[in-house]
Amino acid sequence: MKKTIAIAAVLLIALFVFTLIPQQVFAAPEGMVVVYASVPEDWENPCLWAWDDAGNGVFSAWPGGEAEADPNNAGWYYCYLPNWANNIIINANEGTVQTDALQTEGKNVWVTVKTPEEADISFEALTTGEAPEYVEKIAVFARVPANWDAPCLWAWLDPAGTNAFAAWPGGAMRLTGDWYTVKAPSWINSVIINGNEGSDQTADYKDLEQGKDIWIVVADDHTAEIYYENPDLIVPDITVHAYVPADWENPCLWAWSHPDGTNAFASWPGEPFSLNGDWYEISLPGWVNSFIVNANGGAIQTGDMKELETGRDLWIVVTDSDIYEYDYSEIAIPAAPDTPDPSPVAPQSPSPPPEPSAPPAEPSQPEPDGGNNTLLIVLGISGALIIIAVIVIAVVKKKK
């Protein structure tokens, strides 16, 4: 009995100790996984580029989704992804350094990046404690006056008053290309852009649409214009016309904005053209400035036609994957190769058949051979006489 009680006590103590050990808990919604990354010290602002085996991407533009530092695990960054995205590239320094493509199998994964060419993958947790809760976020972009140093975003939910950041002046914005940017929870509907440690700021901008990326252009007088798409890319839609070789089946267009890398379509090979007379055609947003024409499921393609003028229709004539030309006005279609004249040739009148020659003369009937018949009769009579003579001799001998 005492032994049983002792065993039970040991089990209870072990259970108590187990509950004190930090467990890795993931607060991602269903269908999401978390990717943790530990990167070299000189890799700043690590990001994830992610896609599935069919080429469908998670993010619209390189370098992808920004990874966030885990406050409970120094040196580790995390990013939530949909579980169908089983291929990733970890990059940093505005996408100028990156790993090779890595396979995640659509699971929670820990990646230790040693060099761009060397990265170790673990499906066992390498961090401790509770994983940060998943929060859907949007990107807020801003352009500010030149004398605004270290711009920040202050954001909240009105009228509830829930703040997106812990303290004023808010989330520090970093310069990416021509815009300062920072992530914020998707539920915000009110913002202030500020600079110089909060001493310069815009007015409160409330009742914004929730769940959408925001672009804010701040003027020198601190007033601001707000957009829900990049104002640099707001141009009329365009039509791209293409003429391709006859053996290019199901031609498609791949299009993007260079150098920021924003793609017009979700996955390669892009969208198919529609045939209109001699030209294939497709309409797409006018902000694109780079194109690839491809066909046969993307197996054959032109090279990159990059940094063309935005907002202008385009004509592309493809002679071969390495030979093509384009212009902003219609190009003459190349002449078809020489072919035999298909018009029928009038048949010549047939020559009359030659006159038939006279029929051969009837073969002459052989004349009866009288000499031969006479010989046969003589031989027959002689034979008969010999037989009669033999019989007569035989009878006479018998009588004697």
Side-chain angles (χ1 to χ4, degrees):
M1 183 69 175
K2 292 181 179 179
K3 185 176 181 180
T4 303
I5 294 174
I7 293 173
V10 170
L11 291 175
L12 287 173
I13 293 172
L15 179 62
F16 176 73
V17 171
F18 180 77
T19 60
L20 296 179
I21 299 174
Q23 302 297 310
Q24 193 70 31
V25 179
F26 296 99
E30 184 177 357
M32 301 286 286
V33 296
V34 66
V35 175
Y36 266 98
S38 173
V39 299
E41 291 185 359
D42 58 348
W43 283 36
E44 297 180 357
N45 302 317
C47 294
L48 266 73
W49 185 252
W51 69 100
D52 66 10
D53 290 337
N56 299 303
V58 175
F59 306 104
S60 62
W62 177 265
E66 183 178 354
E68 298 184 56
D70 185 344
N72 300 319
N73 291 275
W76 285 97
Y77 296 84
Y78 71 95
C79 182
Y80 283 96
L81 298 175
N83 59 12
W84 51 260
N86 58 341
N87 304 280
I88 63 168
I89 290 174
I90 298 172
N91 65 86
N93 301 353
E94 306 299 333
T96 58
V97 291
Q98 66 178 73
T99 66
D100 295 329
L102 306 172
Q103 297 286 327
T104 67
E105 301 179 12
K107 300 176 181 178
N108 298 324
V109 66
W110 286 256
V111 182
T112 304
V113 180
K114 298 177 181 179
T115 68
E117 296 78 23
E118 185 180 2
D120 296 333
I121 295 179
S122 173
F123 296 102
E124 299 294 330
L126 301 180
T127 53
T128 59
E130 183 175 327
E133 181 182 2
Y134 171 76
V135 177
E136 185 177 354
K137 295 191 174 183
I138 61 170
V140 178
F141 302 87
R143 278 193 181 131
V144 299
N147 62 348
W148 281 31
D149 187 40
C152 294
L153 170 72
W154 184 250
W156 69 100
L157 177 64
D158 185 75
T162 306
N163 293 323
F165 305 101
W168 177 267
M173 307 185 81
R174 60 186 179 89
L175 186 62
T176 303
D178 295 331
W179 295 88
Y180 288 95
T181 184
V182 68
K183 292 292 184 70
S186 62
W187 44 258
I188 65 165
N189 65 357
S190 304
V191 298
I192 293 172
I193 301 296
N194 66 84
N196 300 326
E197 298 183 352
S199 60
D200 289 292
Q201 67 177 73
T202 67
D204 298 2
Y205 288 92
K206 299 181 179 180
D207 298 322
L208 305 179
E209 294 186 38
Q210 293 174 295
K212 291 186 176 181
D213 291 345
I214 304 169
W215 282 260
I216 304 172
V217 179
V218 182
D220 290 338
D221 63 358
H222 297 191
T223 60
E225 295 288 337
I226 295 180
Y227 306 86
Y228 296 103
E229 56 182 308
N230 188 337
D232 294 343
L233 305 179
I234 300 176
V235 292
D237 289 351
I238 64 171
T239 299
V240 174
H241 313 258
Y243 183 85
V244 301
D247 58 349
W248 282 38
E249 298 180 358
N250 303 316
C252 293
L253 183 71
W254 182 249
W256 71 100
S257 173
H258 184 81
D260 60 271
T262 305
N263 295 323
F265 309 115
S267 60
W268 177 264
E271 291 293 323
F273 286 94
S274 297
L275 185 61
N276 183 7
D278 293 327
W279 292 92
Y280 286 96
E281 296 180 346
I282 188 172
S283 295
L284 65 162
W287 50 261
V288 295
N289 66 357
S290 304
F291 308 90
I292 294 173
V293 178
N294 66 88
N296 299 34
I300 51 177
Q301 65 177 72
T302 66
D304 297 0
M305 294 169 265
K306 293 195 297 187
E307 297 189 81
L308 280 62
E309 294 183 31
T310 58
R312 298 190 65 180
D313 292 349
L314 189 68
W315 279 260
I316 304 171
V317 172
V318 180
T319 305
D320 190 77
S321 57
D322 297 324
I323 305 173
Y324 49 89
E325 60 178 321
Y326 53 85
D327 203 336
Y328 303 108
S329 58
E330 187 170 346
I331 304 173
I333 295 174
D338 293 337
T339 56
D341 188 356
S343 58
V345 177
Q348 296 180 351
S349 301
S351 301
E355 291 293 333
S357 57
E362 291 291 333
S364 56
Q365 297 294 326
E367 294 292 335
D369 190 352
N372 290 341
N373 290 340
T374 303
L375 178 60
L376 291 175
I377 294 171
V378 171
L379 291 176
I381 294 173
S382 298
L385 291 174
I386 292 170
I387 293 172
I388 293 171
V390 172
I391 294 173
V392 171
I393 293 171
V395 171
V396 170
K397 285 184 177 180
K398 186 175 180 182
K399 285 183 179 180
K400 286 183 178 181

